[in-house]
Amino acid sequence: MMKNNKKVGKRKKALFRLYILLFVFVVSIVTLLYLNDTRKEIVLDFEANLLWEVQQSSKDVSERFKSKFAVLETVQDLISHSYHIGVEAAKSMETSRQRYHMAYLGIVDRNYVYYDSSGDTESDIPHERVDLVLSGKRVVARSNDGKSPDGIIFLSPYWEDGEIVGVICSKYLREDMMEELIDKPQEGTDLIVDVNGEVVFMEDDYKEYMGELSWEKFYAKKVNTKLKEQFDKELMLRGSAVAATKDKSGRQVYFAVSQIEGYPDFFSVRLTSAEVVEKVIQSSMVRIYLLMAFMIALIVCIVFHAVWTYIKNRKEVYKAAYVDQLTGIPSKSKHKLDAQELIDRQVRKYAYVTFDVDNFKYINEMFGYEYGNRILIHIANVLQHFTDEHELVARISADNFAMLLENPGTKEELSKKIKRIFEMIVEYREPEEELNLCSLKFSCGVYEIDEIRDINKIRANANLARAESKKRILDEIVFYDENLKTRRIEERELEFDAEYALENGEFLVYFQPKYDVTSEKIIGAEALVRWNHSTRGMLSPGLFIPVFESNGFIIRLDMYVLEKVCELIEAWLEAGIPPVCISVNLSRTHLYERDLVERLVSIVKKHNVPPEYIEFELTESAFYEETDRLLRVMEEIKKAGFRLSMDDFGSGYSSLNLLRRLPVDVLKLDRVFLEDCDEAEDGIRGKRIVMHVISMAKDLEMEVLAEGVETEGQKDFLQEAKCDMIQGYYYARPMPVKDFEALYNEQTVS
Ligand code: C2E
Ligand code: CA
Ligand code: CA
C-alpha cells in the first residue's frame, strides 16, 4: 500500500516538473516573440526619428540657401542701378563680400568673363553651370577643384532691365558654412547632395562610413533592388525616405534622404550607424529579459507555494481522515480502503478479526479517561508490533479494533494466532508503562474470507460473531458461520413473539429449591423462567434472556415472574402454608428504570405479600457499571424490606472492596468455585479460597449460598466450610410450581 502511494507520489512529481518545464518553455517562446516585436518597433521608431531629423535639417538647409541667395539679390539690387555688368560693378561689391564673410563675390557675363570684387579674373566656376544659371536657374554647388579653397558656391541670374545678362556668384568656405548648416549635437553624419548625386557638402566623418566610396556609388549600392525601387518611389512621393545598408566594413548603417524645400535638386542626407539602434535594442532587451526572468521566478514561486500548501493541506486532511488521532494507527475509513485492496488482490488467504475490550466503560470510569486512552494506545502498539507487513490493523471506534490477518488455514491455528496477540496485549510491557493489563478481556469475532469479497459484508459478519462472543461468557473468540446468521434471525423471531407469548401465558415460572446445609431442608427457592414456545417447545432462559436484555423486554418479563411468585405466596398465606423466601432475578437493565422500587413494592402490596418473603438477585456483572446508581437502588430495595443477594459471585470481576459497601443479605457463590474445588491439584487451593470467601462474607454479616452443587463431595465440603445454603442438581433441578409445592409439602408434613 505504502509503496503504491509512493509510486503515485513519484508520478505526480514527474508530472508536476513537466508542467513547470512546459510553462517555462511557453513563457520563453512568448518572450522571444515579444522581443522580436519590440525590436521591430524600436527599429521603426529609430527610422522615423532619423527621417524626422533629416527633414528638419533639410528645412534648415533650405533656409540657409534662401538667405544666401537673398544676399546675392540685395547686392545685385544695390549695384545694378549704378553700374553695367563689368569691372566697376564687381569692385563695388567688395564691402558686401567682407560683410557677409564670403570667400569671393563676383559676376560672370554671357561670354564667361569673370569679374571679381577683388579685381581678380580667375574663376573656378564651370561654364555649364553658368549656362544653367543664364537659363534662369539658381545653382548651389561644391567647389573643390584643388586649386581654390574648398567651399560652396551660390549662383544666381544677374538682371539688367528685365534681362539676364550674367551670373552673380558667391563662395563661402566650407569651414565657415559648417557651423551654419550642421547641427552638431546629433549623432550621425549629414550630407547635402544634388540631383546628380554629387556631394555638395559633406561632413568629414562620411569617410568613416563610406571610405572613398562616392555618394553616387553609395546610393547606387544601397540595399537590394526591390527596396531600392520602393525607396526611390517613396522619395519621389513624399520627398523623403529611409533605408538600411552596410557600410565599408560591413556594419549596418541607416540613412535617410530628404529633398530640400525650394531646391528640388538638392537633398539632405543623414547617415547613422546601426550601433545606436543596437544599443537601444540591447538595453530594452536586457530590461525585458530581466522582467521576464523576474516574472518566471515569481510565477514559479507562486506555483510552488500553491502546490506546497495543497500538499500540506492534503496531508493534514489525509491524516485527519485516515489516521486515528489517539493511537496513530489507521482509522476506519483508511482501513476499509486498504483491506478492500488487499482482499481484491487475492494473493493471500485472509481472516477479518474485530474485537473490543469487555467493560472498557468500567475501566474509563474507575481509572479515568486518560488511563483508558493509555490502554488503547498500548493495544494499538501491540497490534502493530505483532502483525506482519501484509496484515492490517486499525482502530474502528472507541475500544473497537480490527485486523486483517493472514489465515493459517484451520480455525485452531487462527484461534491460536489471535489468542497469541491477546496474550501479547496482556503480557507485553513497554518500559515505564504502568498499566494493569491482567484483567483485560476481549470479545472477538472472526470472519474467514472466502467468496465474499465486499469489505462491508465481511465486517458485518465479523461484527455479528463479535456480538455473539459478548453473549458467551466463556468464548472469547467466535467464528462466523451461517448458524450465527440463522440464530440472529431466530433471535429476531423471539423478540417478535415475546409480547404475544406473555399474554398467552407461554412463560412459565420454575422453582429451584434452596437447602439449608446442616438440616438439608428446603429453606427457599429461586424463581427461574421458562418459555413454553407455541411452536418450538420448551426454551431455556439462556436462549432468550440475553435477547430480551438487549431489547428491554426483560423488564416486563421480570415483573411478570415477580407477579407469579407473589400470587403463589399469597395463595400459600391464604391456605395457611408457611411460605419460604423466593428469590427473583433482576436483570441489570432495571437499574436504569427510575420507578423500579415503586413498581416492585406495588406488585408485592397488591398481593399482600410481606416483602421479607421476596429476595432479589442482582448479578455480579451488574456491579461494575455505575456503582453509585447500583448502590442507591440496592439501598432503596433494602429500605422497602426486601432481601437482597449478589448472584454469580466469582464469575467475573470480583471486587472484594465493593462487596464491603453492598447492602446484601446473601452472597451466591458461582459454580466456578466448585469446579476449582474438584480439580485434583488445584482442588486444595480452590477449597481454601472458598473457605476464605465464606469467612469474609460472615465477617460482613452475609449468608453464603453455593450454586450448582452437583455431587455429594461438593455438599460435604460446603458443610465443612460452614456454607449456609446449597442450590443445585444434587438436591433438585428447577421444577414446575406444582412439583415444588409437592416437594415442600412433603417436607412440612414430615
Ligand atoms: P442464574 O440466576 O445463575 O440461575 C441459575 C442457573 O443455574 C439456572 O439456569 C439453573 O437451572 C442452573 N443450575 C442450578 N443448579 C445447577 C447445577 O447443579 N448444575 C448446573 N449445571 N446448573 C445448575 P437457567 O434456569 O437455565 O437460567 C439461566 C440464567 O438465566 C440464570 O442464571 C439467570 O441469570 C437467567 N434467568 C433465569 N430466569 C430469569 C428471570 O426470571 N429473570 C432474569 N432476569 N433472569 C433469569
Ligand atoms: Ca440467579
Ligand atoms: Ca447464579
Side-chain angles (χ1 to χ4, degrees):
M1 205 86 22
M2 290 292 278
K3 273 180 201 157
N4 238 20
N5 280 350
K6 269 187 192 164
K7 247 191 225 165
V8 172
K10 266 189 187 170
R11 217 180 299 146
K12 275 190 182 163
K13 265 186 199 163
L15 212 66
F16 175 64
R17 278 198 202 119
L18 195 77
Y19 281 141
I20 290 277
L21 268 177
L22 208 71
F23 167 75
V24 171
F25 177 72
V26 169
V27 169
S28 306
I29 293 284
V30 170
T31 311
L32 284 179
L33 288 175
Y34 178 66
L35 278 177
N36 202 32
D37 266 12
T38 323
R39 195 192 171 91
K40 271 190 198 151
E41 240 168 66
I42 291 172
V43 169
L44 280 176
D45 251 24
F46 177 78
E47 286 180 350
N49 197 45
L50 196 65
L51 209 56
W52 184 82
E53 279 173 11
V54 84
Q55 282 163 356
Q56 287 308 307
S57 73
S58 114
K59 267 185 205 159
D60 286 352
V61 171
S62 162
E63 288 306 310
R64 295 293 151 214
F65 282 7
K66 247 188 230 161
S67 72
K68 297 300 175 208
F69 283 113
V71 168
L72 286 182
E73 268 156 34
T74 318
V75 172
Q76 190 182 158
D77 272 358
L78 274 175
I79 55 167
S80 59
H81 296 294
S82 328
Y83 307 99
H84 267 298
I85 187 165
V87 179
E88 288 310 311
K91 276 193 178 159
S92 71
M93 299 192 296
E94 181 59 15
T95 38
S96 300
R97 185 194 67 82
Q98 283 171 10
R99 179 163 3 133
Y100 294 109
H101 307 290
M102 296 163 176
Y104 66 66
L105 178 63
I107 315 166
V108 183
D109 68 12
R110 282 191 167 272
N111 302 317
Y112 310 112
V113 181
Y114 177 68
Y115 310 100
D116 192 271
S117 65
S118 61
D120 210 340
T121 50
E122 282 286 306
S123 163
D124 56 355
I125 305 163
H127 288 191
E128 330 65 277
R129 292 214 193 271
V130 174
D131 291 342
L132 209 63
V133 181
L134 285 175
S135 70
K137 285 209 172 103
R138 282 168 162 181
V139 167
V140 184
R142 173 109 183 255
S143 154
N144 187 18
D145 54 7
K147 283 179 253 165
S148 56
D150 191 2
I152 304 210
I153 49 174
F154 293 87
L155 308 175
S156 176
Y158 188 86
W159 299 81
E160 259 176 30
D161 305 325
E163 232 182 280
I164 300 170
V165 292
V167 173
I168 179 164
C169 52
S170 59
K171 177 174 179 174
Y172 295 85
L173 287 184
R174 221 178 140 242
E175 50 266 39
D176 292 342
M177 278 294 280
M178 179 86 90
E179 274 164 44
E180 274 186 64
L181 288 180
I182 310 292
D183 290 336
K184 232 6 219 168
Q186 285 160 349
E187 289 247 11
T189 302
D190 284 317
L191 318 171
I192 297 161
V193 295
D194 67 14
V195 77
N196 301 318
E198 212 167 291
V199 177
V200 175
F201 183 84
M202 101 174 30
E203 270 185 72
D204 288 339
D205 48 6
Y206 170 78
K207 283 211 170 80
E208 238 179 66
Y209 296 109
M210 293 305 136
E212 293 307 322
L213 200 66
S214 70
W215 165 253
E216 220 177 339
K217 280 188 183 153
F218 167 74
Y219 187 74
K221 186 175 110 78
K222 68 179 188 301
V223 285
N224 59 48
T225 27
K226 205 171 163 198
L227 278 174
K228 208 183 290 176
E229 265 169 36
Q230 200 187 328
F231 183 89
D232 289 340
K233 216 162 137 193
E234 200 155 311
L235 192 58
M236 271 246 288
L237 273 172
R238 292 177 219 262
S240 58
V242 64
T245 185
K246 297 263 157 62
D247 72 359
K248 61 167 184 192
S249 47
R251 285 178 306 171
Q252 180 98 337
V253 171
Y254 285 87
F255 70 95
V257 179
S258 172
Q259 221 159 32
I260 292 175
E261 236 179 83
Y263 303 91
D265 294 345
F266 293 97
F267 298 90
S268 181
V269 179
R270 255 182 90 67
L271 258 168
T272 300
S273 149
E275 274 164 26
V276 183
V277 197
E278 285 308 319
K279 257 187 224 160
V280 177
I281 288 171
Q282 254 166 31
S283 74
S284 47
M285 295 261 172
V286 167
R287 243 179 292 137
I288 289 168
Y289 274 132
L290 280 178
L291 195 75
M292 284 295 163
F294 175 72
M295 267 174 59
I296 290 177
L298 193 75
I299 289 169
V300 167
C301 278
I302 290 170
V303 168
F304 264 108
H305 179 77
V307 169
W308 184 71
T309 334
Y310 173 76
I311 289 171
K312 213 179 96 186
N313 282 350
R314 274 245 332 223
K315 266 190 191 157
E316 266 162 26
V317 168
Y318 176 88
K319 248 186 117 177
Y322 284 169
V323 177
D324 177 56
Q325 297 298 300
L326 176 69
T327 60
I329 64 174
S331 67
K332 179 181 169 186
S333 15
K334 169 85 172 132
H335 172 71
K336 275 168 83 172
L337 290 176
D338 290 354
Q340 188 67 71
E341 199 184 315
L342 274 189
I343 293 164
D344 286 343
R345 271 196 219 154
Q346 305 199 11
V347 179
R348 294 185 162 83
K349 254 184 101 66
Y350 281 108
Y352 193 88
V353 180
T354 166
F355 73 92
D356 58 40
V357 182
D358 286 342
N359 304 303
F360 186 70
K361 218 174 128 193
Y362 162 68
I363 293 173
N364 267 341
E365 273 171 20
M366 286 282 279
F367 306 103
Y369 280 88
E370 213 268 319
Y371 184 85
N373 282 348
R374 273 164 59 202
I375 292 213
L376 294 179
I377 292 168
H378 167 79
I379 293 174
N381 285 346
V382 170
L383 294 189
Q384 264 193 327
H385 251 83
F386 294 95
T387 48
D388 277 348
E389 233 177 273
H390 51 266
E391 295 177 326
L392 299 176
V393 298
R395 180 173 171 230
I396 302 300
S397 65
D399 59 322
N400 178 204
F401 292 85
M403 301 184 276
L404 188 71
L405 297 182
E406 195 174 354
N407 192 347
T410 65
K411 280 195 171 51
E412 288 70 39
E413 282 172 302
L414 185 55
S415 254
K416 232 165 127 185
K417 185 169 173 171
I418 298 167
K419 274 197 182 124
R420 177 87 196 112
I421 291 174
F422 288 161
E423 274 166 26
M424 285 326 291
I425 291 178
V426 175
E427 285 166 17
Y428 181 79
R429 288 295 138 96
E430 312 229 355
E432 291 165 41
E433 193 62 280
E434 295 155 13
L435 295 172
N436 177 19
L437 302 162
C438 304
S439 53
L440 284 187
K441 295 228 157 34
F442 306 97
S443 295
C444 174
V446 182
Y447 179 73
E448 292 175 283
I449 297 166
D450 41 40
E451 333 46 89
I452 295 180
R453 307 215 155 263
D454 174 15
I455 185 67
N456 289 319
K457 282 186 189 148
I458 289 169
R459 272 169 41 80
N461 288 347
N463 279 332
L464 195 67
R466 178 163 62 103
E468 179 64 22
S469 135
K470 274 216 175 306
K471 281 182 220 151
R472 298 189 200 163
I473 293 160
L474 294 175
D475 295 342
E476 207 173 29
I477 299 169
V478 172
F479 283 75
Y480 172 89
D481 59 35
E482 281 306 310
N483 295 341
L484 257 183
K485 210 171 219 165
T486 35
R487 201 164 322 142
R488 180 76 167 201
I489 294 164
E490 277 172 16
E491 281 176 12
R492 290 265 155 77
E493 282 170 2
L494 290 182
E495 283 179 33
F496 186 78
D497 295 341
E499 193 71 37
Y500 172 79
L502 193 67
E503 280 168 26
N504 205 30
E506 287 180 21
F507 290 104
L508 307 174
V509 181
Y510 273 39
F511 279 28
Q512 185 178 31
K514 298 174 185 171
Y515 287 80
D516 180 86
V517 172
T518 33
S519 67
E520 296 191 84
K521 290 220 159 105
I522 297 173
I523 44 121
E526 178 178 3
L528 294 160
V529 76
R530 300 287 179 268
W531 184 352
N532 189 13
H533 195 277
S534 53
T535 52
R536 296 172 62 186
M538 203 64 91
L539 302 179
S540 100
L543 212 65
F544 56 87
I545 296 282
V547 181
F548 293 162
E549 274 181 342
S550 58
N551 79 344
F553 185 74
I554 191 68
I555 294 172
R556 305 213 20 221
L557 188 60
D558 282 351
M559 293 302 167
Y560 175 82
V561 171
L562 178 63
E563 189 100 40
K564 290 283 150 199
V565 168
C566 286
E567 275 172 21
L568 185 71
I569 296 176
E570 189 181 20
W572 284 347
L573 284 170
E574 276 170 7
I577 302 167
V580 281
C581 178
I582 309 290
S583 63
V584 173
N585 290 288
L586 276 188
S587 161
R588 73 189 100 166
T589 323
H590 290 283
L591 297 179
Y592 302 97
E593 294 289 289
R594 272 165 198 275
D595 55 350
L596 169 68
V597 182
E598 283 107 85
R599 287 179 71 185
L600 299 177
V601 170
S602 80
I603 292 171
V604 178
K605 272 201 178 142
K606 196 168 90 187
H607 297 282
N608 301 310
V609 173
E612 64 263 30
Y613 290 123
I614 304 292
E615 180 179 309
F616 289 111
E617 295 190 5
L618 278 162
T619 328
E620 192 212 15
S621 61
F623 291 156
Y624 38 66
E625 286 172 37
E626 301 194 56
T627 320
D628 293 340
R629 184 193 293 264
L630 175 78
L631 278 171
R632 218 173 39 241
V633 173
M634 283 183 139
E635 296 286 0
E636 279 179 50
I637 291 174
K638 282 297 299 170
K639 235 191 246 161
F642 299 109
R643 275 164 66 89
L644 206 55
S645 59
M646 184 176 178
D647 203 359
D648 302 340
F649 182 77
S651 66
Y653 292 89
S654 299
S655 171
L656 293 175
N657 281 339
L658 189 63
L659 197 58
R660 285 179 211 284
R661 296 168 61 197
L662 295 176
V664 296
D665 303 288
V666 181
L667 191 66
K668 293 188 79 173
L669 297 186
D670 196 82
R671 260 177 36 220
V672 292
F673 279 115
L674 296 178
E675 278 165 16
D676 283 351
C677 292
D678 284 343
E679 302 275 327
E681 268 177 30
D682 274 352
I684 314 260
R685 241 183 108 219
K687 279 177 179 165
R688 281 224 183 102
I689 292 173
V690 173
M691 279 153 85
H692 268 100
V693 171
I694 291 172
S695 79
M696 190 197 69
K698 290 265 161 77
D699 277 352
L700 295 170
E701 295 179 330
M702 293 174 185
E703 291 175 62
V704 182
L705 182 146
E707 274 190 295
V709 179
E710 291 179 345
T711 64
E712 194 168 5
Q714 287 171 343
K715 184 211 75 175
D716 291 343
F717 161 67
L718 289 163
Q719 276 177 336
E720 209 177 296
K722 303 248 174 333
C723 180
D724 299 299
M725 292 165 277
I726 284 176
Q727 178 186 351
Y729 293 173
Y730 173 70
Y731 287 110
R733 290 183 175 246
M735 57 189 78
V737 175
K738 285 273 162 299
D739 295 357
F740 176 77
E741 278 182 315
L743 198 67
Y744 181 51
N745 238 344
E746 210 177 282
Q747 182 183 293
T748 33
V749 168
S750 63

